[in-house]
């Protein structure tokens, strides 16, 4: 038995699986299309039957037998609920999953997002937070890296991610960022597991076209829209793996991405934070003896100031922490979505509150107001903040004297 709900020394999942052994789950959902992915034990063709009524009525397929399946539904109506089932044919026999539903995203307007990071332990607290995600019914979920511990492999991913969130992933898009633990065995298993948006560097162009760049057109960094929010997802696992301050191509993409969006709310999602009061806030892996958070801040703060970024969202530090605005942007850490919390190490300049506890965060946008709430795994609000992009209207009163 385990000594606590955060222990991962012993855990197991009992699942009754037929030929579909992972999924189905939706990915890269927009207001007009979505990808649907699933894995089968044995090779089959790929079929999705879907529609906005119980009769379904529409069908797409691929006749190539395979075990890893993904098809894209296009020309969908925005903010609309669709029903679907996946299946295929093997040895002349057609088999299908149970019918599930998903809803396309709104092209604009109010939106609810959930944020968490440092999740994949397979323990009871991760299951509690998975229940919390479903009960909040967000439009999308954002993962700030370290999806699987100790490292991202196909087997660990099934046990410590897909089995835990599978019911919610059928209906709600999950947008993920790389964490350092997702890279200890390379990036192949992560990239094969998800079907995320890709960056547009092939059309945008590299800063130096003569130098080979491995992340051009890949899912390592990308952006997506949900209602009134635009989210730029960065490849920033930590400086031991990748020094983002030297990644001129990613920064070139980021500034272009932020400059071309018309959304009123702009977020950055990443794993390594720009500020945290855990020990990670004071580590230096690039050899210059300056905390990597300081180096990152010197690079990213001018960008967020120039392009009006409202929130920088990160994990890596297993806690919830909010910071006072710097360059007009609020930095928030929401780690410990399953992993054990980190104790307070040293106050980071500008920190407003540090909570060494398991958590997820809820972000609600409605017009010119944003509310971000840190949630306990059982649901109560632990902490919160409100942001407004404009100053409130000035009140004036008629004087009672002359």
């Amino acid at each position: 038995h385990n000594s606590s709900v955060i222990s991962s020394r012993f855990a197991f999942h009992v699942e009754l699986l037929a030929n579909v052994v992972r999924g189905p789950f939706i990915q890269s959902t927009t207001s007009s299309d979505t990808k649907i992915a699933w894995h089968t034990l044995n090779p089959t063709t790929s079929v999705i039957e879907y529609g906005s009524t119980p009769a379904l009525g529409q069908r797409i397929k691929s006749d190539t037998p395979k075990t890893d399946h993904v098809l894209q539904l296009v020309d969908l109506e925005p903010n609309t609920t669709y029903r679907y089932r996946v299946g295929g044919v093997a040895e002349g026999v057609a088999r299908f999953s149970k019918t599930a539903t998903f809803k396309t995203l709104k092209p604009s307007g109010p939106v609810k997002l959930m944020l968490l990071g440092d999740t994949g332990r397979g323990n009871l607290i991760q299951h509690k937070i998975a229940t919390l995600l479903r009960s909040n019914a967000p439009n999308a979920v954002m993962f700030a890296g370290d999806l699987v511990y100790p490292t991202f492999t196909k087997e660990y991913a099934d046990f410590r991610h897909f089995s835990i969130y599978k019911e919610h992933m059928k209906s709600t898009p999950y947008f993920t960022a790389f964490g350092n633990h997702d890279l200890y065995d390379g990036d192949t298993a992560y990239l094969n597991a998800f079907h995320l948006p890709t960056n547009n560097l092939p059309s945008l162009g590299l800063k130096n076209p003569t130098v080979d760049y491995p992340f051009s057109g890949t899912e390592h960094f990308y952006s997506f829209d949900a209602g009134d929010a635009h989210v730029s997802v960065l490849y920033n696992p930590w400086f031991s793996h990748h020094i983002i301050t030297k990644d001129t191509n990613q920064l070139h993409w980021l500034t272009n991405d932020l400059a071309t969006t018309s959304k009123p709310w702009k977020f950055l999602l990443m794993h390594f934070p720009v500020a945290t009061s855990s020990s990670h806030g004071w580590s230096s892996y690039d050899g210059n003896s300056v905390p990597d958070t300081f180096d990152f801040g010197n690079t990213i703060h001018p960008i967020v100031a120039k392009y009006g970024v409202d929130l920088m969202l990160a994990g890596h530090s297993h806690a919830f922490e909010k910071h006072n605005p710097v360059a007009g942007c609020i930095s928030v850490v929401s780690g410990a979505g399953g992993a054990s919390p980190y104790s307070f190490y040293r106050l980071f300049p500008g920190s407003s509150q540090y909570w060494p506890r398991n958590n997820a965060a809820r972000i609600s946008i409605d017009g010119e107001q944003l509310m971000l709430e840190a949630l306990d795994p059982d649901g109560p609000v632990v902490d919160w903040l409100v942001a407004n992009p404009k100053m409130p209207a000035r009140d004036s009163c008629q004087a009672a004297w002359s």
Side-chain angles (χ1 to χ4, degrees), residues 77-134:
E77 294 296 321
N79 197 31
T80 299
T81 298
Y82 285 87
R83 296 170 172 83
Y84 73 96
R85 64 176 189 167
V86 304
V89 177
E91 299 179 350
V93 179
R95 295 180 176 85
F96 286 88
S97 66
K98 292 182 179 179
T99 301
T101 63
F102 71 90
K103 192 172 186 178
T104 49
L105 297 177
K106 300 175 183 178
S108 61
V111 65
K112 183 197 295 183
L113 304 170
M114 297 295 289
L115 167 70
L116 68 164
D118 307 273
T119 53
R121 287 293 188 184
N123 52 19
L124 293 177
I125 202 71
Q126 189 181 2
H127 280 272
K128 293 183 73 172
I129 294 177
T131 301
L132 179 68
L133 298 181
R134 294 196 303 272

Side-chain angles (χ1 to χ4, degrees), residues 162-184:
F162 289 103
S163 291
I164 294 173
Y165 305 111
K166 68 176 184 178
E167 291 303 320
H168 199 216
M169 293 183 74
K170 291 178 181 178
S171 61
T172 304
Y174 281 32
F175 294 94
T176 62
F178 271 101
N180 54 293
H181 280 273
D182 303 319
L183 288 163
Y184 287 151

Side-chain angles (χ1 to χ4, degrees), residues 152 178 182-194 214-215 218 220 235:
F152 200 110
F178 271 101
D182 303 319
L183 288 163
Y184 287 151
D185 284 326
D187 60 8
T188 301
Y190 178 103
L191 294 173
N192 288 342
F194 301 112
F215 309 131
T218 70
H220 291 78
Y235 181 62

Side-chain angles (χ1 to χ4, degrees), residues 60-97:
I60 59 171
K61 67 173 184 173
S62 169
D63 291 328
T64 304
K66 59 183 67 174
T67 56
D68 294 348
H69 309 261
V70 58
L71 295 174
Q72 186 169 16
L73 310 186
V74 298
D75 298 325
L76 305 176
E77 294 296 321
N79 197 31
T80 299
T81 298
Y82 285 87
R83 296 170 172 83
Y84 73 96
R85 64 176 189 167
V86 304
V89 177
E91 299 179 350
V93 179
R95 295 180 176 85
F96 286 88
S97 66

Side-chain angles (χ1 to χ4, degrees), residues 174-247:
Y174 281 32
F175 294 94
T176 62
F178 271 101
N180 54 293
H181 280 273
D182 303 319
L183 288 163
Y184 287 151
D185 284 326
D187 60 8
T188 301
Y190 178 103
L191 294 173
N192 288 342
F194 301 112
H195 303 276
L196 299 164
T198 56
N199 65 68
N200 64 338
L201 272 176
S203 59
L204 186 62
L206 301 178
K207 293 295 288 183
N208 185 349
T210 64
V211 177
D212 183 52
Y213 184 69
F215 309 131
S216 180
T218 70
E219 302 168 25
H220 291 78
F221 53 91
Y222 59 91
S223 64
F224 69 94
D225 294 331
D228 278 345
H230 178 78
V231 184
S232 304
V233 183
L234 301 183
Y235 181 62
N236 187 25
W238 68 344
F239 278 37
S240 180
H241 274 100
H242 184 74
I243 302 177
I244 190 173
T245 56
K246 297 180 179 180
D247 188 350

